[in-house]
Each structure stands twice: as structure tokens, then as C-alpha cells.
Amino acid sequence: MRFRHPDGTTVHLAYCTNVHPAESLDGVLAQLRDHCEPVRRRLGRDRLGIGLWLARDAAHALVSDPSALRGLRCELDRRGLEVVTLNGFPYEGFGAEEVKYRVYKPDWTDPERLDHTTALARVLTGLLPDDVTEGSISTLPLAWRTGYDDGSADKARTALLTLAERLDALRELTGRSIRVGLEPEPGCVVETTGDAIAPLTAIAHDRIGICVDTCHLATSFEDPHTALDALTAARVPVVKSQLSAALHAEHPYLPEVRKALAAFDEPRFLHQTRTSTAAGLRGTDDLGEALAGDALPDGAPWRAHFHVPLHAAPAAPLTSTLPVLTSALTRLVGGPHPLTRHLEVETYTWQALPPELRPRSRTQLADGIAAELTLARDLLTDLGLKELP
């Protein structure tokens, strides 16, 4: 979906396909048929943007076989789909029964992360629509925090500088500009937007910036306007933003609230949980850890890294951080000029919701994704953007 900002800029809205598990190219092609095209049809649009997640095997197949890449591009066109952004954070196994800490490997100290991201950039130049010259990729925020030292930081910085050089060369070769954004996430070396400023200003390259995920922003209790103003002042480019909402518990000390939270404590993904105290941010690596005993103070609200559907907040006594998303969007694209041109709805946890909230069929899942995109579209038009055909 495309929108025209009042300044004339085109802003792209997509939804991220990491909600549909697939590791191979055949699996990706099946996603387009079984999920993406049905969502487009529900929205009544001739064209729908998708943020592709390409696992290692799929990316390798595309970068090593030009005919396979051309085939994917033709299939996108045939089904009324377009790609301007990729999710390069998960490497493989994102649809496994247990992901948890595995999603942070390989990190930016491992040459494989550089090679994979380079492959994604090459693939994206071949997938961009004919009238689009800029693509974006979101990636791991350096590494998970444990075991990361000065030597690790040097390796990661060198890898990102090498990536920037490769992206420059790709621009010269193809005429298309690909930018990569570190995606701050609770528990990682770069947990907040503030944490991203030092490493990104040290690199100081306009092709390496930040991906602002509004669920992660909210989980860490960051104020969107303060965070985005700081990024602007530091001249850190917002490569893309993922529109998502976290789980919010206003009174975590109440037994009924803890019982409601426990329903979201599931075994597949890590649900980092945070609370803001007078002494600063406190947190646990997972929701179950927060609920066990007194691991986390409960005198103030808790927020958990659980991407809840944008259009359907959890039932009371829980809610979502949709207001944080709305506030962030106002700053991202509601000003005189957009801070980013790539927006991506990213709710990958549909099948990790409590059983009674999960979609029971492809049809229900497509309905839910379409409803999220409709909400995002309405937020954008309320800010003065015009939806394009």
C-alpha cells in the first residue's frame, strides 16, 4: 500500500511475512498464494506491500540463481504484491516450536550475519518495483547482551562498515539504494533507541541506520517523541519502522492481572518484560520469569515484548500499547516531512496467542492481518497522508 505525504513523498506500508513460517523458496512462493494475495483481496486493493522474511536457505537460493530471483519477482507481480523492505532479523528456524534466544544467532560478530545481510541486499535490488529505487532491511541490534565485550564491539563495527561499503558498491552496480537498520530490542546490546546512537554515529554512514519497532519502544518505556527527536539530532536515519504493540499490565500486583499475563507466557518466543521504577528500567528476559516470585517489582505497570494484534487489544485487565504506536507514527510521518518512508505491520505472534485468541484457519488469519492493515491505513490518512491506487 502506498501513500502520498503532504510534501509529495511516497510512504510505503507493508505487512511482515515472518508470521508465516517458511524456510525455503518454495515455502515463500506458497506464502504469496496462500496468505499474501488473500489479504490483498480482502483489502480490495490492486497492490499490496509485503515485508518479506527470507530465511538463510531461501535467500541463498535467490542470490545464487538469477532465474529463481526473476521467478519470484514475476510471481509478486502476478499476485499484485510488491516488496520494498525485508526483515533480516531472524536467520532461520523462526517457525520452530521453540525460538527464544536462538533468534539472536548469528550476531554481528559472526561473518555469517554479514554474508546473509549482503545476500538479502542483493536480492532486494532485484525485487524492488520498477518505479522504486530505495529498499530497506531491518536487522539484529548487534547481539544479545551477554558475552558481548569490547572485542565483540570491534568485530560488529568492522562488519557494519564492510556492509556499508558493499551497499555503496551495490548502488553503483544496480542504481538502487539499499539501507539497513539496526532494530533495538529489549535484552540486546542495543535495547533502546538511545543505545543505538553511539554505535551508529561511530559508523556515520547514511546506508546504516535504525529500524524503530514500536512494540520494543513501548516495552522499554521510551517516549516516542523524545526518542525520535534524539535520533534526528544525532542524524541517525530511520531506515524503517515496524508498527507493533506490546502487552501492557497496569496493575501487575493484582492476582487477576497475573493470571491474565500467565496466559501469554508461551514456549516459542522470548517475551522480555520491563517496568519503569524510580531507580530506572528493571526487567526480566521472559514473562514467566517476571511472574515467578519477586523477580520484577510490581508497584508500577509492566510491559511485555509480545506483539499483540493492532486492532484487537487483549481483554481487561490487560491492554496493549497501541497509543505508543499512534504517538510514534505522528512523529514519524505526521510532520512536514516523513522521518521514514517504509512502514511495516509486524505481528508475528498470532499462533502464540492464548489458544482462544488464535486464528483457527487461513481465512481467519487473513482477516486479522487485513484488519491490522486497515487500522494502520486509517491512522495514516488521519495524519493527512493520501492512499494511492
Side-chain angles (χ1 to χ4, degrees):
M1 300 168 76
R2 299 187 185 191
F3 297 81
R4 181 75 69 200
H5 188 275
D7 76 346
T9 302
T10 298
V11 174
H12 295 264
L13 172 66
Y15 92 87
C16 187
T17 64
N18 61 355
V19 63
H20 312 304
E23 301 285 319
S24 68
L25 179 55
D26 285 344
V28 171
L29 294 171
Q31 287 176 354
L32 306 185
R33 179 194 67 225
D34 296 339
H35 300 288
C36 303
E37 186 177 8
V39 170
R40 178 184 65 76
R41 293 186 181 279
R42 278 164 175 73
L43 291 166
R45 307 300 300 162
D46 293 333
R47 174 174 53 190
L48 175 67
I50 57 171
L52 271 183
W53 171 57
L54 297 173
R56 178 196 62 178
D57 289 349
H60 178 75
L62 290 166
V63 81
S64 60
D65 183 355
S67 66
L69 183 56
R70 289 192 298 271
L72 175 57
R73 172 63 193 279
C74 289
E75 190 70 2
L76 289 165
D77 291 342
R78 187 169 76 87
R79 298 192 181 278
L81 306 170
E82 67 177 14
V83 174
V84 302
T85 189
L86 300 179
N87 186 329
F89 195 135
Y91 177 70
E92 61 182 350
F94 200 61
E97 290 185 4
E98 182 176 334
V99 179
K100 297 290 184 181
Y101 295 94
R102 290 172 52 192
V103 75
Y104 306 108
K105 294 292 185 179
D107 61 31
W108 276 100
T109 67
D110 187 332
E112 182 53 38
R113 175 61 67 170
L114 171 61
D115 291 344
H116 178 60
T117 309
T118 302
L120 292 177
R122 291 173 59 191
V123 167
L124 186 52
T125 62
L127 295 181
L128 289 176
D130 292 340
D131 61 345
V132 175
T133 59
E134 294 186 1
S136 63
I137 302 171
S138 48
T139 189
L140 180 78
L142 301 183
W144 185 252
R145 69 183 186 281
T146 54
Y148 193 85
D149 55 21
D150 290 344
S152 303
D154 288 341
K155 288 181 181 178
R157 181 173 179 272
T158 299
L160 287 169
L161 286 170
T162 301
L163 176 65
E165 293 172 356
R166 293 179 180 179
L167 296 177
D168 282 341
L170 201 58
R171 172 68 175 83
E172 290 296 319
L173 181 66
T174 67
R176 293 181 160 192
S177 176
I178 307 299
R179 298 194 298 168
V180 173
L182 303 184
E183 180 186 334
E185 177 164 309
C188 292
V189 172
V190 175
E191 170 157 342
T192 66
T193 57
D195 294 336
I197 290 175
L200 289 175
T201 52
I203 293 168
H205 197 290
D206 62 3
R207 298 200 199 281
I208 310 294
I210 192 169
C211 168
V212 176
D213 183 299
T214 58
C215 169
H216 304 170
L217 190 81
T219 301
S220 295
F221 287 86
E222 290 195 80
D223 174 73
H225 291 273
T226 301
L228 292 166
D229 285 348
L231 292 172
T232 300
R235 297 187 177 183
V236 172
V238 181
V239 169
K240 66 186 279 189
S241 179
Q242 289 172 325
L243 307 183
S244 53
L247 191 62
H248 179 94
E250 186 68 18
H251 303 296
Y253 59 89
L254 295 175
E256 60 268 30
V257 174
R258 286 180 172 255
K259 181 179 179 181
L261 283 170
F264 288 84
D265 179 26
E266 55 82 40
R268 179 177 294 181
F269 300 112
L270 208 59
H271 301 297
Q272 303 92 316
T273 305
R274 298 289 184 265
T275 186
S276 183
T277 72
L281 201 64
R282 293 280 302 278
T284 59
D285 283 357
D286 214 346
L287 179 56
E289 182 185 351
L291 291 169
D294 57 357
L296 197 62
D298 60 8
W302 287 3
R303 290 177 178 172
H305 173 217
F306 195 118
H307 291 223
V308 296
L310 302 186
H311 68 292
L318 303 178
T319 187
S320 82
T321 61
L322 182 63
V324 176
L325 183 162
T326 303
S327 179
L329 203 57
T330 300
R331 183 71 179 86
L332 284 165
V333 299
H337 305 288
L339 297 184
T340 185
R341 294 181 292 277
H342 292 174
L343 304 173
E344 178 183 63
V345 171
E346 194 211 14
T347 305
Y348 59 83
T349 44
W350 283 94
Q351 298 302 337
L353 290 166
E356 67 275 11
L357 301 179
R358 295 174 192 169
R360 294 179 174 83
S361 64
R362 288 177 183 170
T363 297
Q364 288 186 354
L365 178 58
D367 288 343
I369 293 170
E372 290 193 293
L373 287 166
T374 297
L375 182 149
R377 179 191 65 195
D378 291 347
L379 290 175
L380 291 173
T381 55
D382 287 347
L383 289 171
L385 282 74
K386 180 181 178 181
E387 187 176 5
L388 298 176

